[in-house]
Amino acid sequence: MQKTESYLHTTRKKKGPLLFVLIDSENNTHHSASELAKQAERNGASVILVGGSSAIDQITMSEIVKNIKKAVKIPVILFPGNVTGVVPGADAILFSSLLNSDNPYFISQAQALGAPSVLKFGLEALPTAYIIIGEGTTVWHVGSARTIPFDKPGLAAMYALSAQYLGMRFVYLEAGSGAKTNIRPEMVAAVRKIFKGFLIVGGGIRSPQTAVELTKAGADALVIGTFIEKGGSFKTIADIVKTIQSVRK
Ligand code: 1GP
């Protein structure tokens, strides 16, 4: 196991469920991105994700990654929405296949196009099944997702099981950035029951209450982006970290 993956498992074991803070390079200037990352680290985040489904400016993104790397000690992991999200300077990349896309480009073609850059930039690839739940979000639209309704946990579990059989070590259940509703705990529990790897859940999470329900249901890490981008308080972030890290199973 390489460095970032091993850090994730060790930290998960030591601290309990983790918080990943997502910084969308399209919505943040260089200065504000590194400031947000610093604050996130100070308030208990374990990873900074950089990406977004509409991020297309590689030059800006790679500068933002460089600045964030200088500002924090926690790993910086790329979260690409397309080949344009592969830039140098990060510790690792969620090397994802959008399993429930109707468009083969997002299942395997973008991956083939992006892989040589992952190698060239020396990024640690974290093999991830990306599964989009619900509809109406940017990622749902851009990724041509075949909708899995929020109240169909069995469908998400089927995809997660196939991810496991395909050898993927991460599953990311995604409601979409700024989603009105987050993934339901019942769906997280159904996926947790059959998926043995590292389970990430994101989209629409804004409160310690939701965060604790999702981690109790079995999420190893939660992703929060919009709440912080919209000026949500870091005190809430610290509370979220504190409550989820009391969930240790
Ligand atoms: C989006 O899961 C992440 O890809 C985070 O979602 O922006 O709603 O926090 P939010």
Side-chain angles (χ1 to χ4, degrees):
M1 205 185 278
Q2 292 185 67
K3 198 173 161 200
T4 305
E5 189 167 354
S6 149
Y7 160 87
L8 291 173
H9 287 287
T10 316
T11 316
R12 163 73 180 90
K13 249 187 223 140
K14 203 165 77 189
K15 294 190 173 170
L18 309 177
L19 179 70
F20 294 1
V21 164
L22 170 64
I23 294 181
D24 191 328
S25 57
E26 300 283 292
N27 299 341
N28 288 283
T29 61
H30 303 191
H31 182 66
S32 72
S34 11
E35 265 318 301
L36 285 182
K38 256 196 237 172
Q39 290 267 38
E41 180 180 51
R42 215 174 284 148
N43 286 283
S46 296
V47 161
I48 303 295
L49 291 181
V50 182
S53 41
S54 53
I56 43 161
D57 180 350
Q58 278 180 297
I59 296 171
T60 306
M61 186 181 290
S62 81
E63 278 163 9
I64 283 182
V65 166
K66 221 188 292 161
N67 289 340
I68 295 176
K69 270 302 285 174
K70 273 192 236 149
V72 298
K73 291 203 176 63
I74 52 176
V76 177
I77 302 180
L78 300 177
F79 173 44
N82 209 324
V83 285
T84 47
V86 187
V87 298
D91 295 285
I93 178 167
L94 291 180
F95 196 79
S96 311
S97 173
L98 205 180
L99 286 192
N100 64 322
S101 179
D102 268 339
N103 182 348
Y105 177 81
F106 291 105
I107 303 170
S108 64
Q109 289 170 8
Q111 292 71 8
L113 293 170
S117 303
V118 172
L119 181 66
K120 186 171 175 195
F121 301 153
L123 299 166
E124 179 183 337
L126 305 171
T128 305
Y130 191 49
I131 304 169
I132 295 175
I133 314 300
E135 55 186 35
T137 55
T138 304
V139 71
W140 164 82
H141 175 82
V142 173
S144 309
R146 184 178 177 85
T147 306
I148 297 177
F150 281 100
D151 62 354
K152 297 278 180 211
L155 292 178
M158 274 164 47
Y159 278 100
L161 186 58
S162 79
Q164 182 153 294
Y165 290 157
L166 286 164
M168 293 164 161
R169 299 191 293 277
F170 294 78
V171 158
Y172 189 149
L173 290 179
E174 171 73 277
S177 198
K180 289 192 189 85
T181 35
N182 53 273
I183 309 268
R184 295 188 188 165
E186 296 74 24
M187 185 177 275
V188 175
V191 168
R192 178 75 292 167
K193 219 165 149 192
I194 49 92
F195 180 65
K196 309 283 178 253
F198 196 92
L199 177 56
I200 305 169
V201 177
I205 302 169
R206 303 173 187 89
S207 73
Q209 169 69 18
T210 306
V212 87
E213 283 168 12
L214 296 171
T215 43
K216 273 193 178 151
D220 293 307
L222 302 180
V223 182
I224 294 186
T226 306
F227 174 79
I228 294 168
E229 255 167 39
K230 294 213 162 142
S233 97
F234 276 96
K235 155 115 187 28
T236 309
I237 292 298
D239 286 345
I240 288 176
V241 171
K242 212 169 114 200
T243 40
I244 64 176
Q245 295 192 340
S246 63
V247 179
R248 285 193 169 257
K249 70 174 166 111

mmCIF file of all heavy atoms in Angstrom, residues 20-66:
data_model
loop_
_atom_site.group_PDB
_atom_site.id
_atom_site.type_symbol
_atom_site.label_atom_id
_atom_site.label_comp_id
_atom_site.label_asym_id
_atom_site.label_seq_id
_atom_site.Cartn_x
_atom_site.Cartn_y
_atom_site.Cartn_z
ATOM 1 N N PHE A 20 -13.042 15.066 4.896
ATOM 2 C CA PHE A 20 -12.293 15.580 3.749
ATOM 3 C C PHE A 20 -12.938 16.916 3.367
ATOM 4 O O PHE A 20 -14.167 16.983 3.225
ATOM 5 C CB PHE A 20 -12.416 14.666 2.521
ATOM 6 C CG PHE A 20 -11.790 13.297 2.647
ATOM 7 C CD1 PHE A 20 -11.149 12.868 3.802
ATOM 8 C CD2 PHE A 20 -11.849 12.412 1.560
ATOM 9 C CE1 PHE A 20 -10.573 11.600 3.885
ATOM 10 C CE2 PHE A 20 -11.283 11.146 1.636
ATOM 11 C CZ PHE A 20 -10.645 10.737 2.792
ATOM 12 N N VAL A 21 -12.133 17.949 3.179
ATOM 13 C CA VAL A 21 -12.690 19.219 2.731
ATOM 14 C C VAL A 21 -12.375 19.404 1.245
ATOM 15 O O VAL A 21 -11.231 19.247 0.812
ATOM 16 C CB VAL A 21 -12.148 20.387 3.588
ATOM 17 C CG1 VAL A 21 -12.399 21.719 2.909
ATOM 18 C CG2 VAL A 21 -12.835 20.367 4.956
ATOM 19 N N LEU A 22 -13.431 19.682 0.479
ATOM 20 C CA LEU A 22 -13.282 19.839 -0.973
ATOM 21 C C LEU A 22 -13.151 21.309 -1.353
ATOM 22 O O LEU A 22 -13.994 22.132 -0.997
ATOM 23 C CB LEU A 22 -14.502 19.242 -1.693
ATOM 24 C CG LEU A 22 -14.607 19.538 -3.189
ATOM 25 C CD1 LEU A 22 -13.462 18.920 -3.985
ATOM 26 C CD2 LEU A 22 -15.945 19.040 -3.746
ATOM 27 N N ILE A 23 -12.087 21.604 -2.089
ATOM 28 C CA ILE A 23 -11.913 22.960 -2.605
ATOM 29 C C ILE A 23 -12.056 22.905 -4.121
ATOM 30 O O ILE A 23 -11.320 22.184 -4.795
ATOM 31 C CB ILE A 23 -10.554 23.531 -2.156
ATOM 32 C CG1 ILE A 23 -10.603 23.693 -0.635
ATOM 33 C CG2 ILE A 23 -10.242 24.841 -2.866
ATOM 34 C CD1 ILE A 23 -9.370 24.261 0.003
ATOM 35 N N ASP A 24 -13.029 23.634 -4.613
ATOM 36 C CA ASP A 24 -13.280 23.667 -6.046
ATOM 37 C C ASP A 24 -12.425 24.781 -6.637
ATOM 38 O O ASP A 24 -12.626 25.957 -6.317
ATOM 39 C CB ASP A 24 -14.780 23.938 -6.282
ATOM 40 C CG ASP A 24 -15.168 23.733 -7.738
ATOM 41 O OD1 ASP A 24 -14.327 23.990 -8.622
ATOM 42 O OD2 ASP A 24 -16.315 23.326 -7.990
ATOM 43 N N SER A 25 -11.489 24.406 -7.515
ATOM 44 C CA SER A 25 -10.539 25.403 -8.016
ATOM 45 C C SER A 25 -11.208 26.487 -8.857
ATOM 46 O O SER A 25 -10.649 27.554 -9.074
ATOM 47 C CB SER A 25 -9.424 24.724 -8.812
ATOM 48 O OG SER A 25 -9.981 23.976 -9.857
ATOM 49 N N GLU A 26 -12.408 26.216 -9.346
ATOM 50 C CA GLU A 26 -13.103 27.225 -10.166
ATOM 51 C C GLU A 26 -13.721 28.328 -9.298
ATOM 52 O O GLU A 26 -13.981 29.416 -9.769
ATOM 53 C CB GLU A 26 -14.228 26.579 -10.978
ATOM 54 C CG GLU A 26 -13.772 25.515 -11.933
ATOM 55 C CD GLU A 26 -13.128 26.078 -13.198
ATOM 56 O OE1 GLU A 26 -13.848 26.683 -13.987
ATOM 57 O OE2 GLU A 26 -11.918 25.902 -13.379
ATOM 58 N N ASN A 27 -13.982 27.994 -8.042
ATOM 59 C CA ASN A 27 -14.693 28.950 -7.188
ATOM 60 C C ASN A 27 -13.795 29.657 -6.196
ATOM 61 O O ASN A 27 -14.264 30.420 -5.368
ATOM 62 C CB ASN A 27 -15.796 28.248 -6.387
ATOM 63 C CG ASN A 27 -16.821 27.615 -7.294
ATOM 64 O OD1 ASN A 27 -16.906 27.972 -8.450
ATOM 65 N ND2 ASN A 27 -17.575 26.673 -6.780
ATOM 66 N N ASN A 28 -12.503 29.370 -6.218
ATOM 67 C CA ASN A 28 -11.627 29.966 -5.212
ATOM 68 C C ASN A 28 -10.386 30.573 -5.843
ATOM 69 O O ASN A 28 -9.767 29.972 -6.713
ATOM 70 C CB ASN A 28 -11.182 28.887 -4.217
ATOM 71 C CG ASN A 28 -12.314 28.460 -3.311
ATOM 72 O OD1 ASN A 28 -12.658 29.164 -2.372
ATOM 73 N ND2 ASN A 28 -12.920 27.331 -3.619
ATOM 74 N N THR A 29 -10.020 31.749 -5.369
ATOM 75 C CA THR A 29 -8.763 32.332 -5.822
ATOM 76 C C THR A 29 -7.643 31.603 -5.093
ATOM 77 O O THR A 29 -7.878 30.897 -4.118
ATOM 78 C CB THR A 29 -8.697 33.815 -5.429
ATOM 79 O OG1 THR A 29 -8.757 33.858 -4.008
ATOM 80 C CG2 THR A 29 -9.837 34.598 -6.025
ATOM 81 N N HIS A 30 -6.400 31.793 -5.563
ATOM 82 C CA HIS A 30 -5.262 31.085 -4.955
ATOM 83 C C HIS A 30 -5.192 31.332 -3.463
ATOM 84 O O HIS A 30 -5.031 30.429 -2.674
ATOM 85 C CB HIS A 30 -3.938 31.551 -5.562
ATOM 86 C CG HIS A 30 -3.908 31.361 -7.041
ATOM 87 N ND1 HIS A 30 -2.766 31.494 -7.778
ATOM 88 C CD2 HIS A 30 -4.878 31.035 -7.916
ATOM 89 C CE1 HIS A 30 -3.048 31.266 -9.042
ATOM 90 N NE2 HIS A 30 -4.317 30.999 -9.137
ATOM 91 N N HIS A 31 -5.325 32.617 -3.117
ATOM 92 C CA HIS A 31 -5.154 32.974 -1.719
ATOM 93 C C HIS A 31 -6.258 32.354 -0.884
ATOM 94 O O HIS A 31 -5.995 31.685 0.117
ATOM 95 C CB HIS A 31 -5.138 34.498 -1.572
ATOM 96 C CG HIS A 31 -4.928 34.928 -0.164
ATOM 97 N ND1 HIS A 31 -3.746 34.692 0.498
ATOM 98 C CD2 HIS A 31 -5.750 35.523 0.724
ATOM 99 C CE1 HIS A 31 -3.850 35.149 1.733
ATOM 100 N NE2 HIS A 31 -5.058 35.660 1.892
ATOM 101 N N SER A 32 -7.519 32.496 -1.333
ATOM 102 C CA SER A 32 -8.612 31.985 -0.509
ATOM 103 C C SER A 32 -8.546 30.460 -0.425
ATOM 104 O O SER A 32 -8.874 29.882 0.602
ATOM 105 C CB SER A 32 -9.963 32.472 -1.005
ATOM 106 O OG SER A 32 -10.314 31.838 -2.199
ATOM 107 N N ALA A 33 -8.072 29.795 -1.485
ATOM 108 C CA ALA A 33 -7.995 28.334 -1.433
ATOM 109 C C ALA A 33 -7.008 27.884 -0.367
ATOM 110 O O ALA A 33 -7.315 27.001 0.433
ATOM 111 C CB ALA A 33 -7.594 27.781 -2.793
ATOM 112 N N SER A 34 -5.819 28.499 -0.311
ATOM 113 C CA SER A 34 -4.875 28.034 0.723
ATOM 114 C C SER A 34 -5.330 28.448 2.115
ATOM 115 O O SER A 34 -5.098 27.722 3.070
ATOM 116 C CB SER A 34 -3.430 28.463 0.487
ATOM 117 O OG SER A 34 -3.309 29.383 -0.505
ATOM 118 N N GLU A 35 -6.011 29.608 2.216
ATOM 119 C CA GLU A 35 -6.553 29.996 3.529
ATOM 120 C C GLU A 35 -7.607 28.986 4.000
ATOM 121 O O GLU A 35 -7.592 28.551 5.149
ATOM 122 C CB GLU A 35 -7.204 31.394 3.428
ATOM 123 C CG GLU A 35 -6.297 32.534 3.820
ATOM 124 C CD GLU A 35 -5.456 32.255 5.058
ATOM 125 O OE1 GLU A 35 -6.053 31.995 6.111
ATOM 126 O OE2 GLU A 35 -4.204 32.274 4.965
ATOM 127 N N LEU A 36 -8.516 28.610 3.085
ATOM 128 C CA LEU A 36 -9.552 27.629 3.434
ATOM 129 C C LEU A 36 -8.915 26.308 3.857
ATOM 130 O O LEU A 36 -9.330 25.677 4.830
ATOM 131 C CB LEU A 36 -10.478 27.369 2.237
ATOM 132 C CG LEU A 36 -11.502 28.432 1.879
ATOM 133 C CD1 LEU A 36 -12.361 27.970 0.704
ATOM 134 C CD2 LEU A 36 -12.405 28.745 3.073
ATOM 135 N N ALA A 37 -7.885 25.906 3.108
ATOM 136 C CA ALA A 37 -7.225 24.631 3.420
ATOM 137 C C ALA A 37 -6.588 24.676 4.805
ATOM 138 O O ALA A 37 -6.702 23.731 5.583
ATOM 139 C CB ALA A 37 -6.184 24.319 2.354
ATOM 140 N N LYS A 38 -5.944 25.804 5.104
ATOM 141 C CA LYS A 38 -5.297 25.957 6.421
ATOM 142 C C LYS A 38 -6.321 25.866 7.539
ATOM 143 O O LYS A 38 -6.133 25.172 8.531
ATOM 144 C CB LYS A 38 -4.628 27.337 6.497
ATOM 145 C CG LYS A 38 -3.122 27.277 6.337
ATOM 146 C CD LYS A 38 -2.520 28.587 6.812
ATOM 147 C CE LYS A 38 -1.724 29.176 5.680
ATOM 148 N NZ LYS A 38 -1.230 30.513 5.888
ATOM 149 N N GLN A 39 -7.422 26.592 7.357
ATOM 150 C CA GLN A 39 -8.496 26.588 8.358
ATOM 151 C C GLN A 39 -9.079 25.195 8.514
ATOM 152 O O GLN A 39 -9.385 24.748 9.619
ATOM 153 C CB GLN A 39 -9.633 27.519 7.923
ATOM 154 C CG GLN A 39 -9.291 28.971 7.964
ATOM 155 C CD GLN A 39 -9.719 29.540 9.314
ATOM 156 O OE1 GLN A 39 -9.583 28.880 10.345
ATOM 157 N NE2 GLN A 39 -10.247 30.743 9.304
ATOM 158 N N ALA A 40 -9.242 24.511 7.378
ATOM 159 C CA ALA A 40 -9.798 23.153 7.413
ATOM 160 C C ALA A 40 -8.881 22.243 8.225
ATOM 161 O O ALA A 40 -9.333 21.487 9.083
ATOM 162 C CB ALA A 40 -9.970 22.626 5.994
ATOM 163 N N GLU A 41 -7.590 22.348 7.969
ATOM 164 C CA GLU A 41 -6.624 21.515 8.704
ATOM 165 C C GLU A 41 -6.667 21.839 10.195
ATOM 166 O O GLU A 41 -6.729 20.949 11.042
ATOM 167 C CB GLU A 41 -5.216 21.743 8.161
ATOM 168 C CG GLU A 41 -4.154 20.908 8.871
ATOM 169 C CD GLU A 41 -2.753 21.156 8.312
ATOM 170 O OE1 GLU A 41 -2.341 22.331 8.215
ATOM 171 O OE2 GLU A 41 -2.079 20.181 7.973
ATOM 172 N N ARG A 42 -6.673 23.122 10.495
ATOM 173 C CA ARG A 42 -6.693 23.562 11.886
ATOM 174 C C ARG A 42 -7.935 23.034 12.622
ATOM 175 O O ARG A 42 -7.906 22.779 13.805
ATOM 176 C CB ARG A 42 -6.704 25.098 11.901
ATOM 177 C CG ARG A 42 -5.917 25.700 13.051
ATOM 178 C CD ARG A 42 -5.847 27.209 12.903
ATOM 179 N NE ARG A 42 -4.901 27.647 11.891
ATOM 180 C CZ ARG A 42 -5.044 28.752 11.150
ATOM 181 N NH1 ARG A 42 -6.096 29.533 11.281
ATOM 182 N NH2 ARG A 42 -4.117 29.089 10.271
ATOM 183 N N ASN A 43 -9.033 22.895 11.887
ATOM 184 C CA ASN A 43 -10.275 22.464 12.527
ATOM 185 C C ASN A 43 -10.539 20.966 12.390
ATOM 186 O O ASN A 43 -11.651 20.507 12.606
ATOM 187 C CB ASN A 43 -11.449 23.289 12.000
ATOM 188 C CG ASN A 43 -11.416 24.699 12.580
ATOM 189 O OD1 ASN A 43 -11.774 24.905 13.725
ATOM 190 N ND2 ASN A 43 -10.908 25.650 11.802
ATOM 191 N N GLY A 44 -9.518 20.230 12.000
ATOM 192 C CA GLY A 44 -9.608 18.775 12.104
ATOM 193 C C GLY A 44 -9.792 17.988 10.816
ATOM 194 O O GLY A 44 -9.929 16.760 10.866
ATOM 195 N N ALA A 45 -9.802 18.656 9.642
ATOM 196 C CA ALA A 45 -9.920 17.891 8.396
ATOM 197 C C ALA A 45 -8.667 17.027 8.215
ATOM 198 O O ALA A 45 -7.571 17.421 8.608
ATOM 199 C CB ALA A 45 -10.081 18.839 7.210
ATOM 200 N N SER A 46 -8.855 15.854 7.607
ATOM 201 C CA SER A 46 -7.729 14.939 7.425
ATOM 202 C C SER A 46 -7.176 14.949 6.007
ATOM 203 O O SER A 46 -6.097 14.406 5.753
ATOM 204 C CB SER A 46 -8.143 13.512 7.768
ATOM 205 O OG SER A 46 -8.484 13.443 9.135
ATOM 206 N N VAL A 47 -7.935 15.510 5.070
ATOM 207 C CA VAL A 47 -7.534 15.530 3.662
ATOM 208 C C VAL A 47 -8.104 16.789 3.020
ATOM 209 O O VAL A 47 -9.197 17.227 3.370
ATOM 210 C CB VAL A 47 -8.097 14.281 2.918
ATOM 211 C CG1 VAL A 47 -8.123 14.473 1.410
ATOM 212 C CG2 VAL A 47 -7.324 13.012 3.269
ATOM 213 N N ILE A 48 -7.364 17.353 2.071
ATOM 214 C CA ILE A 48 -7.940 18.401 1.211
ATOM 215 C C ILE A 48 -8.122 17.778 -0.169
ATOM 216 O O ILE A 48 -7.162 17.262 -0.759
ATOM 217 C CB ILE A 48 -7.006 19.635 1.090
ATOM 218 C CG1 ILE A 48 -6.673 20.253 2.455
ATOM 219 C CG2 ILE A 48 -7.615 20.673 0.147
ATOM 220 C CD1 ILE A 48 -7.841 20.861 3.214
ATOM 221 N N LEU A 49 -9.355 17.808 -0.655
ATOM 222 C CA LEU A 49 -9.608 17.367 -2.027
ATOM 223 C C LEU A 49 -9.633 18.602 -2.912
ATOM 224 O O LEU A 49 -10.201 19.625 -2.522
ATOM 225 C CB LEU A 49 -10.976 16.692 -2.138
ATOM 226 C CG LEU A 49 -11.221 15.327 -1.476
ATOM 227 C CD1 LEU A 49 -12.661 14.882 -1.760
ATOM 228 C CD2 LEU A 49 -10.254 14.284 -1.998
ATOM 229 N N VAL A 50 -9.041 18.502 -4.099
ATOM 230 C CA VAL A 50 -9.119 19.624 -5.036
ATOM 231 C C VAL A 50 -9.718 19.121 -6.342
ATOM 232 O O VAL A 50 -9.228 18.155 -6.931
ATOM 233 C CB VAL A 50 -7.729 20.245 -5.320
ATOM 234 C CG1 VAL A 50 -7.858 21.435 -6.264
ATOM 235 C CG2 VAL A 50 -7.052 20.677 -4.027
ATOM 236 N N GLY A 51 -10.787 19.760 -6.773
ATOM 237 C CA GLY A 51 -11.398 19.333 -8.032
ATOM 238 C C GLY A 51 -12.761 19.938 -8.215
ATOM 239 O O GLY A 51 -13.019 21.050 -7.771
ATOM 240 N N GLY A 52 -13.635 19.171 -8.859
ATOM 241 C CA GLY A 52 -14.979 19.664 -9.146
ATOM 242 C C GLY A 52 -15.351 19.274 -10.563
ATOM 243 O O GLY A 52 -14.477 19.221 -11.438
ATOM 244 N N SER A 53 -16.649 19.026 -10.783
ATOM 245 C CA SER A 53 -17.040 18.483 -12.083
ATOM 246 C C SER A 53 -17.019 19.510 -13.198
ATOM 247 O O SER A 53 -17.052 19.157 -14.369
ATOM 248 C CB SER A 53 -18.413 17.830 -11.987
ATOM 249 O OG SER A 53 -19.266 18.591 -11.195
ATOM 250 N N SER A 54 -16.929 20.813 -12.845
ATOM 251 C CA SER A 54 -16.862 21.784 -13.936
ATOM 252 C C SER A 54 -15.488 22.453 -14.002
ATOM 253 O O SER A 54 -15.307 23.452 -14.691
ATOM 254 C CB SER A 54 -17.972 22.820 -13.782
ATOM 255 O OG SER A 54 -17.919 23.384 -12.499
ATOM 256 N N ALA A 55 -14.502 21.888 -13.290
ATOM 257 C CA ALA A 55 -13.155 22.494 -13.299
ATOM 258 C C ALA A 55 -12.455 22.209 -14.622
ATOM 259 O O ALA A 55 -12.227 21.062 -14.974
ATOM 260 C CB ALA A 55 -12.344 21.951 -12.142
ATOM 261 N N ILE A 56 -12.110 23.258 -15.349
ATOM 262 C CA ILE A 56 -11.511 23.036 -16.666
ATOM 263 C C ILE A 56 -10.173 23.739 -16.835
ATOM 264 O O ILE A 56 -9.444 23.478 -17.772
ATOM 265 C CB ILE A 56 -12.455 23.492 -17.808
ATOM 266 C CG1 ILE A 56 -13.086 24.832 -17.443
ATOM 267 C CG2 ILE A 56 -13.530 22.460 -18.089
ATOM 268 C CD1 ILE A 56 -13.636 25.568 -18.620
ATOM 269 N N ASP A 57 -9.837 24.644 -15.886
ATOM 270 C CA ASP A 57 -8.613 25.414 -16.049
ATOM 271 C C ASP A 57 -7.459 24.734 -15.308
ATOM 272 O O ASP A 57 -7.301 24.860 -14.112
ATOM 273 C CB ASP A 57 -8.868 26.829 -15.506
ATOM 274 C CG ASP A 57 -7.639 27.713 -15.625
ATOM 275 O OD1 ASP A 57 -6.553 27.196 -15.936
ATOM 276 O OD2 ASP A 57 -7.774 28.928 -15.394
ATOM 277 N N GLN A 58 -6.646 24.002 -16.093
ATOM 278 C CA GLN A 58 -5.560 23.224 -15.478
ATOM 279 C C GLN A 58 -4.467 24.095 -14.886
ATOM 280 O O GLN A 58 -3.831 23.709 -13.910
ATOM 281 C CB GLN A 58 -4.920 22.301 -16.509
ATOM 282 C CG GLN A 58 -5.697 21.024 -16.708
ATOM 283 C CD GLN A 58 -5.033 20.137 -17.720
ATOM 284 O OE1 GLN A 58 -4.910 20.523 -18.873
ATOM 285 N NE2 GLN A 58 -4.626 18.960 -17.310
ATOM 286 N N ILE A 59 -4.239 25.259 -15.504
ATOM 287 C CA ILE A 59 -3.149 26.122 -15.017
ATOM 288 C C ILE A 59 -3.507 26.634 -13.627
ATOM 289 O O ILE A 59 -2.733 26.514 -12.684
ATOM 290 C CB ILE A 59 -2.887 27.278 -16.008
ATOM 291 C CG1 ILE A 59 -2.398 26.674 -17.330
ATOM 292 C CG2 ILE A 59 -1.860 28.263 -15.452
ATOM 293 C CD1 ILE A 59 -2.299 27.630 -18.481
ATOM 294 N N THR A 60 -4.731 27.174 -13.511
ATOM 295 C CA THR A 60 -5.170 27.654 -12.197
ATOM 296 C C THR A 60 -5.167 26.518 -11.196
ATOM 297 O O THR A 60 -4.688 26.659 -10.068
ATOM 298 C CB THR A 60 -6.608 28.229 -12.296
ATOM 299 O OG1 THR A 60 -6.614 29.202 -13.315
ATOM 300 C CG2 THR A 60 -7.070 28.838 -10.993
ATOM 301 N N MET A 61 -5.686 25.362 -11.607
ATOM 302 C CA MET A 61 -5.783 24.257 -10.655
ATOM 303 C C MET A 61 -4.404 23.830 -10.162
ATOM 304 O O MET A 61 -4.196 23.610 -8.979
ATOM 305 C CB MET A 61 -6.503 23.063 -11.271
ATOM 306 C CG MET A 61 -6.717 21.995 -10.215
ATOM 307 S SD MET A 61 -7.514 20.530 -10.791
ATOM 308 C CE MET A 61 -9.135 21.094 -11.086
ATOM 309 N N SER A 62 -3.431 23.768 -11.071
ATOM 310 C CA SER A 62 -2.124 23.297 -10.612
ATOM 311 C C SER A 62 -1.466 24.342 -9.702
ATOM 312 O O SER A 62 -0.772 23.984 -8.752
ATOM 313 C CB SER A 62 -1.235 22.858 -11.765
ATOM 314 O OG SER A 62 -0.651 23.946 -12.359
ATOM 315 N N GLU A 63 -1.733 25.614 -9.934
ATOM 316 C CA GLU A 63 -1.200 26.637 -9.016
ATOM 317 C C GLU A 63 -1.862 26.541 -7.645
ATOM 318 O O GLU A 63 -1.220 26.658 -6.615
ATOM 319 C CB GLU A 63 -1.383 28.038 -9.601
ATOM 320 C CG GLU A 63 -0.266 28.353 -10.590
ATOM 321 C CD GLU A 63 -0.582 29.521 -11.494
ATOM 322 O OE1 GLU A 63 -1.593 30.211 -11.246
ATOM 323 O OE2 GLU A 63 0.187 29.735 -12.450
ATOM 324 N N ILE A 64 -3.168 26.306 -7.664
ATOM 325 C CA ILE A 64 -3.891 26.168 -6.393
ATOM 326 C C ILE A 64 -3.371 24.959 -5.615
ATOM 327 O O ILE A 64 -3.127 25.026 -4.411
ATOM 328 C CB ILE A 64 -5.412 26.099 -6.661
ATOM 329 C CG1 ILE A 64 -5.902 27.515 -6.952
ATOM 330 C CG2 ILE A 64 -6.177 25.491 -5.490
ATOM 331 C CD1 ILE A 64 -7.379 27.662 -7.184
ATOM 332 N N VAL A 65 -3.147 23.860 -6.310
ATOM 333 C CA VAL A 65 -2.626 22.654 -5.648
ATOM 334 C C VAL A 65 -1.255 22.961 -5.028
ATOM 335 O O VAL A 65 -0.987 22.614 -3.874
ATOM 336 C CB VAL A 65 -2.529 21.471 -6.647
ATOM 337 C CG1 VAL A 65 -1.679 20.335 -6.096
ATOM 338 C CG2 VAL A 65 -3.929 20.953 -6.984
ATOM 339 N N LYS A 66 -0.416 23.637 -5.791
ATOM 340 C CA LYS A 66 0.942 23.973 -5.297
ATOM 341 C C LYS A 66 0.842 24.833 -4.029
ATOM 342 O O LYS A 66 1.510 24.579 -3.037
ATOM 343 C CB LYS A 66 1.688 24.745 -6.392
ATOM 344 C CG LYS A 66 3.151 24.311 -6.513
ATOM 345 C CD LYS A 66 3.942 25.204 -7.465
ATOM 346 C CE LYS A 66 3.510 25.069 -8.918
ATOM 347 N NZ LYS A 66 3.909 26.185 -9.789
#
